[in-house]
Amino acid sequence: SGHNRVEAMRLLGENKIAAIVRENVTDELAERIVIESNLNQQSFADWKYSQQIRIIKMSSKWIQEKSQQGKRNDLAENATGVHSEHKSPDKPKRPKARDKISKQLGISPTVFERYRSIAKLDDAVLVILCNKLDEKRLGFMSAYRISQLKPEEIKSVINILKNNPDAKLKGPNVKLLYDESKKSESEDLAEDAIREMLLSDNTAS
């Protein structure tokens, strides 16, 4: 964290810079430090989708840890006789970890949850979707709708994208696929049907 400042000092001819050295830091904490430092200089919206989703994935893990800590605290309070019904009704609720992170990133909790839905996908699926997002061949809402499909349907979408690397998925096509998937809750849509929906009126074969 701070490599731009180091480079600036080098350009100024300096060979020393004030720094804080953190030892025995986990990779996860180191990544969090870098991200928080960068968020002070750039907005979340300035980053590529692949970077944004990486942040959301890390944040989701942190939220899960906080949630587990909260459950343990509740158990401890109940064990010592402090029950929720005895708490003052006027006591303000603590903001959820999700809401804190959403505010820090400058997005609404609803948008944050859409990012989380995408970030929960398998890494192999994420790589392909993020590439499409970064290349502007896929819109954010379309990526979210794909993340809401059934597992086998997502697998079919990825196969189609692999076989049609230049395909640009149009929002209405993905929405049609999403709607059809919701209609047929009990069974998966066939890959041929998905291909027809996604690539209709598309220049890709």
Side-chain angles (χ1 to χ4, degrees), residues 42-58:
Q42 292 178 302
S43 73
F44 181 73
D46 292 332
W47 294 12
K48 293 194 294 186
Y49 279 108
S50 51
Q51 294 171 311
Q52 292 175 344
I53 289 168
R54 187 178 168 196
I55 294 170
I56 298 293
K57 198 167 188 176
M58 188 186 72

Side-chain angles (χ1 to χ4, degrees), residues 8 31 47 62 76 86 111 117 126 136 155 177 194 196 205:
E31 188 172 30
W47 294 12
W62 182 70
H86 295 152
V111 172
S117 179
L126 270 180
K136 300 189 182 340
K155 187 177 176 181
L177 169 59
I194 292 174
E196 178 65 27
S205 58

Side-chain angles (χ1 to χ4, degrees), residues 150-203:
K150 296 187 274 294
E152 283 302 312
E153 292 171 347
I154 293 174
K155 187 177 176 181
S156 294
V157 170
I158 296 306
N159 286 338
I160 292 163
L161 292 178
K162 284 179 179 177
N163 293 326
N164 298 270
D166 296 327
K168 183 175 181 178
L169 301 190
K170 298 176 182 177
N173 295 38
V174 178
K175 187 177 185 306
L176 173 63
L177 169 59
Y178 173 81
D179 291 341
E180 290 299 318
S181 174
K182 294 304 174 189
K183 284 180 193 174
S184 59
E185 289 183 2
S186 58
E187 48 186 79
D188 300 323
L189 296 173
E191 187 168 323
D192 287 344
I194 292 174
R195 184 183 296 105
E196 178 65 27
M197 282 183 264
L198 288 183
L199 302 182
S200 63
D201 298 323
N202 202 311
T203 55

